[in-house]
Amino acid sequence: MKKLSLSHCPTEKLSHRLLYTLVGLTVVVYALFFFVGYNRPWEENPDFKNPLFTDLLLVFASVLTLTALALVIWAAVRDYRRNESDAAVVNGIPLRRIDLFTAIGTLSLSVITLALGSTEPLMVNGRNYTNAWGLRLADMFIFTSSVLLVVAIGAVIYGATRYNRKTKGQQS
């Protein structure tokens, strides 16, 4: 049997395999959640649903989040340990400045959205949820994710129009 060696696998091929594996696992977990035992009534109040695979979905989301966080920390430590002259500017692109701006911007956005988060109680499963910290934290994640999603879409649109901007600029 042939041994699997990740060090000899091209980065693009490895990232494609990982992406397809994660998408496949996500589809399977969400399909189990929505299509198997989704309409089970909750024992305490039959008006509410108690899906069978809720725990699997929560564990899967937690594992993905913790893995992503661990990889971010590992990459940051690895990049910090590198010699500054090696990665400061690559092909005219100021990588260190972009990394620093991204980290500070994301952290600042998270702090701002946490501070602006609402503490208005919510009705959850027929009960008022009044934990101010939990409410602010939920708002922080929702608003920060939304803003970062809009920024990402804007960056993709800007990058997609780069070709048009370049060809018009070169014709002049």
Side-chain angles (χ1 to χ4, degrees), residues 65-104:
T65 303
L66 293 174
T67 303
L69 184 63
L71 287 173
V72 165
I73 292 170
W74 172 75
V77 169
R78 185 191 57 156
D79 285 347
Y80 181 76
R81 287 184 178 174
R82 281 189 186 165
N83 188 357
E84 286 187 21
S85 62
D86 290 346
V89 177
V90 176
N91 294 331
I93 299 170
L95 295 181
R96 290 246 186 243
R97 194 176 317 157
I98 292 171
D99 286 348
L100 186 63
F101 177 76
T102 303
I104 290 172

Side-chain angles (χ1 to χ4, degrees), residues 13-31 56-57 59-69 71:
K13 190 175 186 180
L14 185 62
S15 65
H16 278 127
R17 286 185 179 175
L18 182 62
L19 174 68
Y20 296 145
T21 302
L22 287 175
V23 168
L25 281 171
T26 303
V27 167
V28 167
V29 169
Y30 276 94
L56 174 65
L57 183 65
V59 168
F60 181 69
S62 299
V63 167
L64 283 182
T65 303
L66 293 174
T67 303
L69 184 63
L71 287 173

Side-chain angles (χ1 to χ4, degrees), residues 132-147:
W133 177 250
L135 291 165
R136 282 187 186 268
L137 204 58
D139 275 355
M140 179 197 74
F141 283 120
I142 292 167
F143 293 139
T144 301
S145 300
S146 300
V147 170

Side-chain angles (χ1 to χ4, degrees), residues 104-116 140-141 144 148:
I104 290 172
T106 304
L107 183 62
S108 300
L109 181 62
S110 296
V111 169
I112 290 168
T113 55
L114 180 68
L116 296 176
M140 179 197 74
F141 283 120
T144 301
L148 291 177

Side-chain angles (χ1 to χ4, degrees), residues 1-9 13 17:
M1 186 161 109
K2 191 175 178 182
K3 262 187 154 182
L4 177 65
S5 175
L6 297 178
S7 61
H8 294 91
C9 188
K13 190 175 186 180
R17 286 185 179 175

